[in-house]
Amino acid sequence: MALLVKIQKMKKKGQPTKWYGKAVKRQDVTLHEIAQMISRSNSVTESDVYGVLKALVHEMKFLLQMGHTVKLEGFGNFHLTLESETVDDKRDYRLEEHVKRVKCKFTPASHRVEGGKLSYYFCEGVKLERKK
């Protein structure tokens, strides 16, 4: 199966008409469905896979909340960041007032290829198909 690409018109007023390719999003896939897929491809039961994946999510949440970066080889890195307002004087900074939200950032696994460009593991070998 290929990644479907829809050709879409850019929406910028006063600019000449331009077109670009946009990846078509298919249906969402749940953790449970992934566990089923993994269990079909090896000898581990679906419930065992699902239990391990749920435990992974639980432990990742704990580690991230402690300030760790979680590195999953071949998958990517997760870490927490803050969306914060600035103040003129350090002594005026109040966590409850100036931190607007905590965000989880994900950086997909990658490596450098010739020319120094990044190649993302999940994107390698993608076949494209134009949506009809």
Side-chain angles (χ1 to χ4, degrees):
M1 186 174 282
L3 177 65
L4 288 179
V5 179
K6 179 168 98 175
I7 310 306
Q8 191 161 316
K9 187 177 185 177
M10 289 191 77
K11 298 173 184 168
K12 289 191 176 182
K13 289 185 178 182
Q15 298 289 325
T17 300
K18 299 280 184 178
W19 298 85
Y20 67 99
K22 181 177 181 178
V24 175
K25 183 181 182 249
R26 296 182 191 251
Q27 68 191 42
D28 294 343
V29 179
T30 67
L31 201 62
H32 181 72
E33 291 167 324
I34 292 171
Q36 289 176 325
M37 295 166 76
I38 292 171
S39 73
R40 283 194 299 263
S41 68
N42 61 58
S43 63
V44 182
T45 68
E46 176 188 329
S47 59
D48 287 342
V49 174
Y50 185 69
V52 169
L53 293 175
K54 290 291 285 183
L56 173 66
V57 170
H58 176 79
E59 294 303 326
M60 283 179 63
K61 180 178 178 181
F62 171 76
L63 292 166
L64 290 168
Q65 289 181 357
M66 296 296 294
H68 295 281
T69 295
V70 176
K71 297 182 176 220
L72 303 176
E73 290 81 12
F75 192 85
N77 302 335
F78 295 83
H79 69 277
L80 298 183
T81 64
L82 300 178
E83 187 175 297
S84 175
E85 292 181 344
T86 60
V87 294
D88 293 327
D89 189 321
K90 182 179 179 178
R91 294 171 293 195
D92 294 335
Y93 194 87
R94 305 281 179 267
L95 293 177
E96 60 283 343
E97 181 181 345
H98 297 106
V99 174
K100 294 304 172 193
R101 69 179 175 151
V102 178
K103 299 190 286 187
C104 183
K105 296 289 186 163
F106 171 69
T107 305
S110 64
H111 63 277
R112 298 259 177 216
V113 294
E114 71 179 64
K117 284 183 145 183
L118 278 179
S119 176
Y120 296 100
Y121 175 72
F122 290 129
C123 302
E124 292 172 352
V126 171
K127 292 174 180 38
L128 301 175
E129 180 181 315
R130 187 172 178 159
K131 184 177 177 186
K132 297 172 179 139

